[in-house]
């Protein structure tokens, strides 16, 4: 079949899904309530279902009253039993796949159950919906006349007791239909190479002659690949190598600190960026409009949502609200119940709603990755926006960064210490620091109050990291590539102290 015809047929099939999305856009609460009841019915004969009497739950309120909020540690025992071959503990269909969660740099690995239902009705469905929304918004797209260059995880799938584990992208590649590989590059074999540095070279060799029309991957790691491509080809930008490229699908870390750098890589005026929000636990939201920073919360993927306002999170007064009780511009921790048998599970991410008709969100950070040592409530969204603004004003470019508190000692006040690796250094580091500080004050009233007249916090301290510091730090921990990312904010200093020690050696 000629490529233009393939493009037309594929676009027609995918855009039919738009009409199905209109159901949860019009009736979001009903769709979520019906989904919850369906999940309970599917699991009422499991160990968890019998423990909490799923068969007699008829309302959200009963569900919330009976079943406690859970962390991974709460579920770990049953997950490990399932990994050893026991079934029907928390989900009715057999769980054979486990996504080994990469997280940031935590030593403990998490093995997130991935059911057949989650693969088909969440992850793969979301992949098709992403294309569907993009094509619906871009009628002249020629996406399917070429291939998507995907940059996923770099670990293989491993077997243990007749169950399998690996990072999520490896599991998706292992289970996707055979024809899906035809629209992607590099090959599955190259995509699953374990050594990140060998993999980069293999990707470049395999894809240079392809007609690449889209890219998909984490911005920080995709930047490494694309800069290496330019270095090896001697080209000025990516469109000189792949002239038909039209969109970059990204997620995993905030795009704000990298936006200007990508504009230079893809100087086409009509080039599009589409953000997704997914994790090992599920696929949650997709950008549904061109040039929008907001993501549409997808309500029919087998995931029931609840939210904890962060001003009550972890306190004696913690409250949990369903979707129909959320409010715009409040920072929430996400709680999910899924078609893989995660019941009222805290995934550790925070979001805020920019709209509740329809429900659109922005990812603001992690429940554990913030700084509140001095009552400043600094979140990742604030830090990313401040870095982006400082780069814009000072013409700098950032590779990566992390922030830690400087604790008060004696009469010394506290501060925030930044470790920033620049691709292009600011001409004046003091100006960069000043814009960073001023922007944080404008974004965060708690930070502004603590900085007033240096009352509690001194100005931020910025350390300029040597080239490739973060790369070598992750390499030391065998965390290159894939979904691995630098922890942006921490209430402790161990990341910062490790990095500073590396700088000295």
């Amino acid at each position: 079949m000629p490529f233009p015809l393939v493009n037309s047929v594929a676009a027609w099939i995918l855009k039919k899904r738009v009409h199905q999305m209109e159901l949860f856009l019009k009736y979001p609460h009903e769709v979520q309530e019906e989904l919850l009841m369906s999940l309970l019915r599917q699991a009422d004969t499991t160990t968890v279902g019998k423990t909490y009497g799923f068969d007699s739950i008829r309302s959200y309120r009963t569900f919330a009253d009976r079943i406690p909020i859970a962390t991974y540690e709460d579920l770990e025992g049953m997950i490990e039993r399932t990994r050893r071959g026991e079934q029907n503990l928390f989900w009715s269909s057999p769980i054979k796949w486990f996504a080994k969660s990469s997280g940031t740099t935590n030593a403990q690995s998490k093995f997130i159950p991935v059911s057949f239902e989650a693969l088909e009705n969440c992850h793969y469905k979301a992949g098709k919906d992403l294309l569907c929304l993009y094509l619906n918004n871009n009628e002249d797209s020629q996406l399917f006349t070429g291939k998507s260059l995907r940059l996923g995880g770099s670990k293989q799938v491993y077997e243990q007791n007749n169950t399998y584990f690996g990072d999520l992208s490896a599991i998706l590649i292992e289970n996707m239909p055979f024809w899906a590989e035809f629209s992607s590059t590099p090959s599955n074999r190259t995509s699953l190479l374990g050594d990140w540095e060998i993999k980069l070279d293999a990707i470049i060799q395999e894809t240079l002659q392809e007609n690449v029309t889209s890219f998909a991957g984490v911005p920080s790691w995709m930047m490494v690949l694309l800069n290496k491509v330019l270095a090896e080809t001697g080209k000025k930008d990516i469109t000189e190598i792949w002239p038909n490229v039209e969109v970059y699908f990204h997620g995993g870390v905030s795009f704000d600190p990298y936006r200007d750098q990508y504009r230079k890589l893809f100087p086409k005026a009509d080039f599009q960026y589409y953000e997704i929000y997914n994790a090992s636990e599920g696929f949650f939201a997709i950008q549904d409009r061109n040039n929008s920073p907001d993501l549409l919360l997808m309500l029919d993927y087998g995931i029931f949502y609840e939210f904890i306002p962060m001003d009550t999170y972890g306190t004696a007064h913690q409250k949990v609200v369903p979707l129909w009780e959320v409010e715009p511009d409040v920072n929430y921790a996400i709680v999910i119940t899924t078609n893989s048998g995660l019941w009222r599970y805290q995934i550790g991410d925070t979001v805020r709603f920019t709209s509740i008709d329809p429900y659109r969100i922005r990812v603001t950070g992690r429940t554990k990755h913030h700084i509140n040592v001095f009552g400043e409530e600094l979140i990742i969204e604030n830090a990313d926006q401040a870095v982006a603004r400082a780069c814009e004003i000072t013409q700098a470019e950032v590779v990566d960064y992390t922030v830690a508190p400087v604790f008060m000692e004696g009469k010394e006040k506290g501060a925030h210490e930044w470790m920033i690796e620049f691709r292009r250094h600011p001409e004046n580091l003091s100006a960069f620091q000043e814009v960073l500080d001023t922007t944080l004050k404008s974004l965060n009233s708690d930070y502004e109050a603590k900085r007033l007249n240096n009352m509690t916090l001194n100005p931020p301290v910025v350390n300029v990291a040597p080239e490739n510091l973060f790369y070598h730090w992750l390499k030391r921990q065998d965390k290159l590539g894939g979904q691995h990312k630098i922890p942006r904010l921490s209430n402790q200093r161990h990341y910062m102290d490790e990095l500073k020690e590396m700088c000295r050696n």
Side-chain angles (χ1 to χ4, degrees), residues 18 25 386 420 475:
V18 170
L25 290 172
I420 305 178
K475 185 176 181 178

Side-chain angles (χ1 to χ4, degrees), residues 3 23 36 94 103 118 122 221 258 280 407-408 424 426 430 457 502:
F3 274 120
L23 180 66
L36 175 60
C122 183
W221 292 115
Y258 304 102
S280 299
F407 296 108
M408 295 178 177
R424 184 166 74 184
S430 296
L457 285 176
M502 288 179 68

